[in-house]
Amino acid sequence: MKTVSDLFVLRDEQGPILYAPLNVAAARVNESGLAAVAKYLRGETLSPDESDVIGMLAQYKLFEPGVIPVNPERFMPVHVTLFPTDGCNLRCRYCYAGAEKIRHKMSVAAGRAAIDLVAENAREVGRDNFLVGFHGNGEPFCAYDRIREFCEYTQFRAEITGIRGNINTATNGVLNDEQIDFCLAFFSNINVSFDGLPELQNRQRPFPDGSGSFDAVDHTLKRFDEGGLSFGIRATLTTDSVDALEDVAMFISERYPHCSQLHLEPAWECGRCLTTGEHTPDVDVFIRKYLSAQDKLEGKYLKLVYSGARQDLIINSFCSVCRGSFTVTSEGYVTACYEVCEKSDPRSERYFYGSFDENAGCYVFDQQKMDALGRLNVENMDNCRDCFCRWHCAGDCSAKLLGMKEPEEHEGSARCLINRALTLRQLQKRMREREE
Ligand code: SF4
Ligand code: SF4
Ligand code: SF4
């Protein structure tokens, strides 16, 4: 038997494709070529024709051992995500966090100490930048005083260390003009959650009084667009909105011409979905509509993104959950997962791996918990072993698919069909481009 990197056989309308993701190698073959490859891998004697086929395929590096991604040995984060608050000024019908009024705001000391830590790590490892992001189980700008504080402090740290401090945020886009001006001045990138068409945004992402939020977010997006900010939009699709996916994409492309990416995700049935009755769209419809929207956007500035399809990435976990994601909740807990942000969530037992010690003024990390998080790695997910997306999707979202289960118990989900279909499309495009 030959020792080669993961080698997968895929099929599309043109026939078989050999794919070795770890070697970034792919080639189309016919059925007799496939048979020759099977013989070669079993170490059997090849005919001259079969040897020629293998020689030709070897030029693509299909048969070489690939480099398996590994986690860093030391925990030295240079990127922190801060959750300034858990309150929100919208009541989205599918909100995973069920966010409402502000219950907690991050302490100034916790935010500053996290920024100190990533800036110091960046200096120690010789990087020319560190990154501070805002996200949350609420709207970060509902704690605007904290955002200002942490952005100014990031600038201060950048000045005294001589290392660039990049700042980005996710927001629902309900911002006043002062906040928009602040974004234009401080942020290098912003992601706005927005469902696109007025009727969808107003229905799915209403204010607490039930009124629609389209006009408010549209104003923000137009100002970002005119202000030269690098920004993207994230839209969530439900059974009620998936049919409009292409219209959403075209609307955004035309109305906000400088928006670089539209991130589309099917709603996951959790949080407020459970009481509002919003449902995950049918996977086949999502795939069909997504691919058709992608075709319509060909040649335009706006690019579609879906989290489970990233054929250009070679990784061992879907997000940085197993690689030391440094995220601080509004209560000062360190979590590896954006969606596990409350102590009352049973999954916090796994995903919380530290906290801010207000008395000592520093973060305390639990090494055992960090080691256990390191196991949420696709190499431990038997279910993913034969999937060609193994090193791209890398087991998908562990908080949703595993929760507290062991990685060996991974069973996949309906999303696997989307992940494979959209990743295959990316691979086909790369192969076409190579041939041109
Ligand atoms: S999805 Fe985001 S914007 Fe909507 S209610 Fe939840 S936290 Fe607020
Ligand atoms: S585990 Fe899932 S929900 Fe948590 S940060 Fe990763 S992708 Fe997001
Ligand atoms: S089996 Fe599913 S979760 Fe696992 S890598 Fe493949 S697409 Fe991702």
Side-chain angles (χ1 to χ4, degrees):
M1 290 283 278
K2 303 280 173 198
T3 307
V4 297
S5 146
D6 280 2
L7 187 59
F8 299 94
V9 180
L10 318 179
R11 286 176 191 276
D12 67 5
E13 53 290 344
Q14 289 183 52
I17 300 170
L18 275 176
Y19 183 43
L22 291 176
N23 299 341
V24 199
R28 290 193 179 279
V29 284
N30 57 22
E31 297 299 338
S32 56
L34 264 191
V37 170
K39 275 178 79 177
Y40 170 71
L41 294 177
R42 288 194 299 267
E44 294 174 15
T45 308
L46 303 178
S47 70
D49 283 353
E50 289 167 337
S51 294
D52 286 349
V53 169
I54 298 302
M56 193 264 293
L57 292 174
Q59 289 173 15
Y60 290 100
K61 299 190 170 24
L62 281 161
F63 305 127
E64 291 175 16
V67 180
I68 292 178
V70 289
N71 293 335
E73 277 180 16
R74 278 175 74 199
F75 178 65
M76 292 285 283
V78 293
H79 172 188
V80 64
T81 305
L82 303 175
F83 287 10
T85 179
D86 52 11
C88 191
N89 47 6
L90 290 185
R91 296 291 183 271
C92 305
R93 290 173 59 81
Y94 45 63
C95 177
Y96 70 89
E100 294 188 349
K101 290 194 176 119
I102 294 178
R103 287 168 297 134
H104 303 98
K105 259 165 89 168
M106 177 176 284
S107 77
V108 170
R112 284 183 168 213
I115 296 165
D116 286 342
L117 191 113
V118 292
E120 186 49 35
N121 284 347
R123 194 192 57 72
E124 201 177 321
V125 300
R127 282 185 51 130
D128 67 357
N129 69 79
F130 62 93
L131 180 61
V132 177
F134 301 107
H135 205 283
N137 48 338
E139 163 55 35
F141 275 82
C142 283
Y144 181 44
D145 55 339
R146 293 295 192 269
I147 295 255
R148 289 185 66 105
E149 165 72 39
F150 299 146
C151 287
E152 282 160 10
Y153 191 68
T154 300
Q155 270 199 342
F156 165 73
R157 285 298 306 192
E159 276 160 27
I160 60 170
T161 51
I163 297 172
R164 203 169 65 251
N166 293 330
I167 314 174
N168 64 32
T169 192
T171 175
N172 62 25
V174 179
L175 305 176
N176 61 36
D177 277 311
E178 183 196 330
Q179 293 167 335
I180 294 170
D181 289 337
F182 185 85
C183 290
L184 293 170
F186 277 88
F187 290 89
S188 45
N189 185 266
I190 294 192
N191 253 306
V192 183
S193 296
F194 175 64
D195 286 346
L197 302 175
E199 59 274 22
L200 294 182
Q201 172 75 12
N202 288 336
R203 196 185 82 76
Q204 297 187 158
R205 303 181 64 84
F207 284 108
D209 66 2
S211 61
S213 59
F214 177 84
D215 290 344
V217 184
D218 180 53
H219 173 73
T220 300
L221 288 167
K222 281 184 171 156
R223 287 218 44 214
F224 286 172
D225 201 64
E226 290 156 7
L229 187 73
S230 163
F231 73 103
I233 290 175
R234 178 199 153 120
T236 302
L237 282 311
T238 64
T239 29
D240 290 342
S241 58
V242 70
D243 282 332
L245 191 154
E246 295 145 288
D247 295 339
V248 169
M250 296 314 287
F251 179 85
I252 287 172
S253 168
E254 279 157 25
R255 197 168 179 94
Y256 318 110
H258 299 101
C259 177
S260 58
Q261 90 175 22
L262 172 59
H263 180 165
L264 296 169
E265 291 291 326
W268 187 267
E269 289 179 23
C270 64
R272 204 174 277 134
C273 269
L274 303 178
T275 51
T276 56
E278 295 294 337
H279 292 293
T280 304
D282 180 84
V283 287
D284 292 326
V285 179
F286 182 86
I287 294 168
R288 190 160 35 82
K289 295 281 177 184
Y290 185 102
L291 292 175
S292 158
Q294 199 168 48
D295 289 343
K296 285 190 176 162
L297 287 175
E298 189 67 41
K300 298 203 186 294
Y301 183 62
L302 184 70
K303 298 286 170 264
L304 289 194
V305 173
Y306 159 76
S307 64
R310 55 269 177 100
Q311 191 263 330
D312 52 342
L313 268 190
I314 300 291
I315 40 168
N316 63 1
S317 74
F318 179 71
C319 61
S320 46
V321 70
C322 89
R323 295 188 298 273
S325 159
F326 180 32
T327 300
V328 185
T329 73
S330 54
E331 293 177 87
Y333 293 112
V334 179
T335 178
C337 171
Y338 282 9
E339 287 192 18
V340 181
C341 25
E342 308 233 344
K343 195 75 178 151
S344 55
D345 185 330
R347 297 172 298 175
S348 67
E349 196 48 42
R350 163 176 276 171
Y351 294 93
F352 280 17
Y353 65 93
S355 59
F356 180 63
D357 182 332
E358 290 279 348
N359 295 324
C362 64
Y363 282 88
V364 183
F365 299 102
D366 182 330
Q367 188 58 49
Q368 263 189 334
K369 290 265 182 82
M370 290 160 82
D371 293 344
L373 284 164
R375 290 204 70 252
L376 302 179
N377 172 336
V378 74
E379 286 187 81
N380 295 319
M381 298 173 187
D382 299 338
N383 177 64
C384 303
R385 203 162 300 281
D386 297 327
C387 173
F388 77 97
C389 295
R390 185 180 180 208
W391 301 109
H392 308 309
C393 156
D396 213 330
C397 167
S398 75
K400 295 191 185 87
L401 296 195
L402 294 178
M404 290 299 286
K405 289 195 289 191
E406 291 307 313
E408 290 79 1
E409 298 173 78
H410 192 293
E411 289 177 343
S413 75
R415 271 173 61 97
C416 294
L417 296 173
I418 307 178
N419 301 355
R420 291 187 196 121
L422 302 189
T423 305
L424 176 60
R425 180 62 77 98
Q426 292 173 342
L427 180 62
Q428 290 167 321
K429 183 165 184 278
R430 292 239 149 72
M431 292 176 70
R432 243 191 346 267
E433 286 168 353
R434 189 181 66 189
E435 282 155 19
E436 282 167 7

